[in-house]
Amino acid sequence: MPGAIKASFQTKLFLTALTSVVIALAVAGTLFSTTMRRQTDDRIEQTLIAEARLAADLLARGAPALRPDSSQALPLGSWQADVAELDAEADRIGELVGARVTFIAPDGRVVGDSAETLAGIAALENHAGRPEVVAARETGLGLSRRYSDTLKIDMLYAAVPAKHPSIAVVRVALPLTDIRHQLQAILTATLTALGFALAGAAAIGWMMSARIGQRVRMVAQVAARYRAGDLTPPRLDYGDDELGTVARALDESVQELGRRLAELARDRARSEAILAGMVEGVIVVDPQGHLQIANDAAQRMLRLNDLAVGRHYVETIRHPAIAELVAAALAGRAPEALQLSPPRDPSRTIVARAAPATGGGTHGAVLVLHDITDLRRADQIRRDFVANVSHELRTPLTAIRGYVEALSEGDASAEENRRFLDIIARHTERMERLVKDLLRLARLDAGQETLDITSCDTRGLVDAVVADLTPAIEARGQRVELTIGLGAETLRGDAAKLHDVLRNLIANAITYAPEHTTIHVEAVRDATRTSVSVSDEGPGIPEDDLSRVFERFYRVDKSRARDPGGTGLGLAIVKHLVGLHGGEARAENRGNGGATFTITLPA
């Protein structure tokens, strides 16, 4: 509880030992004092009885006696003289035994008392009815503890019969206060001895508890270090007793557990590294259907979060087909692979395979997810490429074949023959350009083209491209406007390849921009890169097509092209050449109409 004082093990051990000692000493002291009190009482009683018998024996050996019927026959003075002699004898015997001695006549009168004067003796009551006197006459011995009406204190009486002509009973008495004083001395001595014994026991208990507490603290410190994760073996002497044996056994158990945990951690780290590096998604489900492992790839494919681990697969995998696969694997079956789209991402394609995982006699399940989106996209691109190449080749070949057949008939005029030959030449050049572009893309894909990096004049590159394309520009009534920013006067790259990049971009702008418009070429530079953009004032590019304009044979709208004889590979070549320089190419729409193609090169 907060604020409470927490006692240490040493304190608890010491208090336990001290409590045990106190209880033992208290019981022993009580038994001892009770026994000593009883023994002292018995001894005092026996002493008092012995003194009474001694007094009776002394009387029998020659003590004075009253004259026969002295109380009636003699004058009062003579009787008092006889009593005085007996009282003197009582005083003498009382002084010898150190107690009150009383002589009692057969009729119960007191004829001598060591504690009373003669006048007092005469005033005493008759003692014939006293309990001790009655018991002495009946049994030969009388003992009594009672209050003395004469002395007004509690007394212990012992009475015995006397063989004397005038005295029937001799009684000896001690005040109980004297007895208590004797017992008090015994009790004081007992308590003093118990106090010394308790102090000694406390000192010994504290020393022993300190030694044991120190060893326990050593064990607790080692345990705290283990709990903090430091499993370095301690160099401590735990001792040879049971505590040391237990401490060593626990220490060895922790060390062995630490070694096994380290091995498990290494195995888990290796497994996690392998799973994290896999492009395939892997999910492991225990026999109860709870997710145990889900690597990053699986979480991305199925849109799982970190909280999915530990929950039931039905709650986390929100795809019925995958859930059925896992259920079949948990039942011990090997279901067929399943092709599907992940939740909330229909553009991707995943192949899911599940198999039972046996361990410890129970069946879990392992689910492996293969993302084949890129493979399907590549396959689609391949099919489109073959179809586009076939189409691009078939069109000029069909035209060439038709005009060759027309020429072979020989009935055409010379003017028609020249026109037919021009058309055949134009389609032949188109096929040549197509084959040339295809071969170049193949070389770029295979990494067979190398770079000759130099510092290129930006204005010179653009002017050379404009000079090549002047006939097409003039035919369209267009013009090219160049803007060069500060620091962008030169480009770092392969001059020939950069010429091809700019030629394809400007030729694309000439083809798709309306007549009598301006094509803007702008070069800018920042701290890390140089960008060259080619903008036109055409209709722009639909948003859905922006990401595909650099694909091979891809046209946004074939009806927009003025010259359908293009190869459709120009922008694809641009992307490859810019990527070869370590840059990137992108397309975007202008805010005021038209499209902008931008290439970015390292500065």
Side-chain angles (χ1 to χ4, degrees):
M1 186 173 59
I5 299 177
K6 187 178 180 180
S8 63
F9 176 79
Q10 176 180 339
T11 303
K12 293 178 180 178
L13 182 62
F14 171 71
L15 292 177
T16 301
L18 183 62
T19 302
S20 301
V21 170
V22 169
I23 293 174
L25 291 178
V27 173
T30 302
L31 292 176
F32 178 77
S33 60
T34 303
T35 302
M36 289 299 297
R37 180 169 184 171
R38 185 170 59 251
Q39 290 178 355
T40 302
D41 284 348
D42 293 342
R43 187 177 66 251
I44 291 174
E45 289 178 358
Q46 296 300 324
T47 301
L48 204 61
I49 292 172
E51 290 174 351
R53 288 175 176 169
L54 175 62
D57 186 69
L58 291 175
L59 285 175
R61 294 178 179 275
L66 292 175
R67 294 180 180 85
D69 300 325
S70 57
S71 59
Q72 290 84 11
L74 295 176
L76 179 60
S78 299
W79 181 82
Q80 289 179 344
D82 293 338
V83 172
E85 292 182 5
L86 293 175
D87 183 58
E89 183 66 16
D91 293 341
R92 184 178 69 82
I93 295 175
E95 186 177 355
L96 289 175
V97 300
R100 177 186 177 186
V101 178
T102 303
F103 297 153
I104 301 172
D107 57 359
R109 289 179 299 125
V110 177
V111 294
D113 194 310
S114 61
E116 294 289 342
T117 61
L118 290 176
I121 291 173
L124 290 176
E125 297 177 355
N126 190 288
H127 283 35
R130 297 292 192 269
E132 65 276 6
V133 174
V134 175
R137 287 182 173 181
E138 293 178 353
T139 63
L141 176 63
L143 286 175
S144 176
R145 292 174 183 266
R146 59 181 177 83
Y147 180 77
S148 174
D149 295 330
T150 303
L151 299 180
K152 306 302 181 183
I153 59 175
D154 292 329
M155 300 288 289
L156 173 63
Y157 296 100
V160 295
K163 297 179 179 180
H164 190 274
S166 301
I167 299 173
V169 176
V170 175
R171 188 182 69 180
V172 180
L174 278 177
L176 291 180
T177 55
D178 294 342
I179 297 174
R180 292 194 184 97
H181 289 162
Q182 296 182 38
L183 295 175
Q184 185 66 34
I186 294 173
L187 182 60
T188 302
T190 302
L191 292 177
T192 302
L194 292 177
F196 281 114
L198 180 61
I204 295 173
W206 178 257
M207 289 188 293
M208 294 300 296
S209 63
R211 288 190 59 188
I212 297 176
Q214 182 180 9
R215 294 170 62 193
V216 172
R217 284 193 296 272
M218 290 168 53
V219 175
Q221 291 172 359
V222 173
R225 186 158 55 82
Y226 287 162
R227 183 176 57 190
D230 183 6
L231 300 182
T232 305
R235 301 183 180 275
L236 299 176
D237 183 14
Y238 292 119
D240 298 328
D241 56 3
E242 291 82 357
L243 181 60
T245 301
V246 172
R248 279 191 296 273
L250 292 177
D251 188 63
E252 292 172 358
S253 300
V254 171
Q255 294 300 321
E256 179 63 24
L257 181 60
R259 286 191 291 270
R260 296 187 179 182
L261 288 177
E263 293 177 359
L264 290 175
R266 287 193 295 270
D267 293 341
R268 185 176 183 86
R270 285 194 293 267
S271 301
E272 290 179 351
I274 293 172
L275 291 174
M278 294 177 62
V279 295
E280 295 84 1
V282 177
I283 294 177
V284 178
V285 180
D286 66 9
Q288 288 72 39
H290 298 98
L291 268 67
Q292 298 299 304
I293 297 175
N295 68 346
D296 295 340
Q299 293 183 17
R300 288 193 302 270
M301 292 180 191
L302 298 181
R303 306 291 179 89
L304 303 178
N305 54 32
D306 295 336
L307 299 178
V309 176
R311 298 172 61 186
H312 201 276
Y313 74 92
V314 175
E315 301 176 6
T316 54
I317 301 177
R318 303 298 179 88
H319 200 291
I322 297 180
E324 291 178 3
L325 278 180
V326 175
L330 287 175
R333 301 193 302 273
E336 295 293 331
L338 178 67
Q339 185 171 307
L340 51 91
S341 295
R344 298 182 298 276
D345 193 1
S347 63
R348 306 187 69 83
T349 303
I350 292 176
V351 175
R353 292 181 175 86
T358 305
T362 57
H363 292 285
V366 177
L367 178 68
V368 180
L369 305 172
H370 301 271
D371 189 344
I372 62 171
T373 304
D374 294 337
L375 295 177
R376 293 197 64 183
R377 183 181 296 117
D379 183 64
Q380 184 64 38
I381 292 174
R382 180 187 60 81
R383 290 195 298 267
D384 293 343
F385 178 77
V386 171
N388 288 325
V389 168
S390 300
H391 174 74
E392 295 292 337
L393 289 175
R394 184 171 59 250
T395 300
L397 283 175
T398 301
I400 291 171
R401 180 180 178 183
Y403 287 109
V404 168
E405 290 178 353
L407 288 173
S408 63
E409 291 179 357
D411 55 353
S413 64
E415 182 67 24
E416 290 177 340
N417 287 338
R418 284 194 299 272
R419 187 168 59 85
F420 291 165
L421 289 175
D422 289 340
I423 294 174
I424 292 172
R426 188 168 63 251
H427 283 292
T428 303
E429 290 175 358
R430 179 181 176 185
M431 291 179 60
E432 183 181 0
R433 291 197 306 272
L434 178 61
V435 172
K436 183 180 177 180
D437 288 347
L438 289 173
L439 291 175
R440 188 166 197 184
L441 280 174
R443 289 197 305 273
L444 289 171
D445 286 337
Q448 294 176 350
E449 291 207 12
T450 59
L451 295 176
D452 183 12
I453 302 296
T454 59
S455 181
C456 307
D457 180 64
T458 304
R459 184 174 295 276
L461 282 174
V462 176
D463 289 344
V465 171
V466 172
D468 290 345
L469 298 175
T470 297
I473 294 174
E474 292 178 349
R476 298 278 291 168
Q478 298 170 338
R479 67 189 182 92
V480 177
E481 184 179 281
L482 175 61
T483 304
I484 300 177
L486 182 63
E489 294 84 0
T490 59
L491 297 175
R492 189 74 176 167
D494 189 310
K497 292 180 174 59
L498 291 179
H499 179 277
D500 293 342
V501 169
L502 292 175
R503 190 182 191 282
N504 286 335
L505 290 178
I506 295 175
N508 181 77
I510 292 172
T511 302
Y512 286 95
E515 296 180 354
H516 308 292
T517 58
T518 301
I519 298 171
H520 301 273
V521 180
E522 183 180 8
V524 296
R525 178 172 179 171
D526 58 20
T528 60
R529 60 186 181 175
T530 301
S531 299
V532 179
S533 60
V534 178
S535 304
D536 59 56
E537 298 176 1
I541 303 172
E543 293 295 331
D544 294 338
D545 296 322
L546 281 173
S547 61
R548 301 189 61 189
V549 293
F550 291 101
E551 293 181 6
R552 303 172 189 185
F553 299 111
Y554 187 81
R555 289 190 178 93
V556 175
D557 186 357
K558 291 183 174 63
S559 64
R560 294 182 182 176
R562 180 184 61 83
D563 181 14
T567 64
L569 300 175
L571 294 181
I573 292 175
V574 167
K575 181 178 179 181
H576 281 76
L577 290 176
V578 173
L580 188 63
H581 282 80
E584 60 179 6
R586 69 179 184 276
E588 58 189 351
N589 288 317
R590 300 173 60 190
N592 55 354
T596 299
F597 290 84
T598 304
I599 63 169
T600 303
L601 302 174

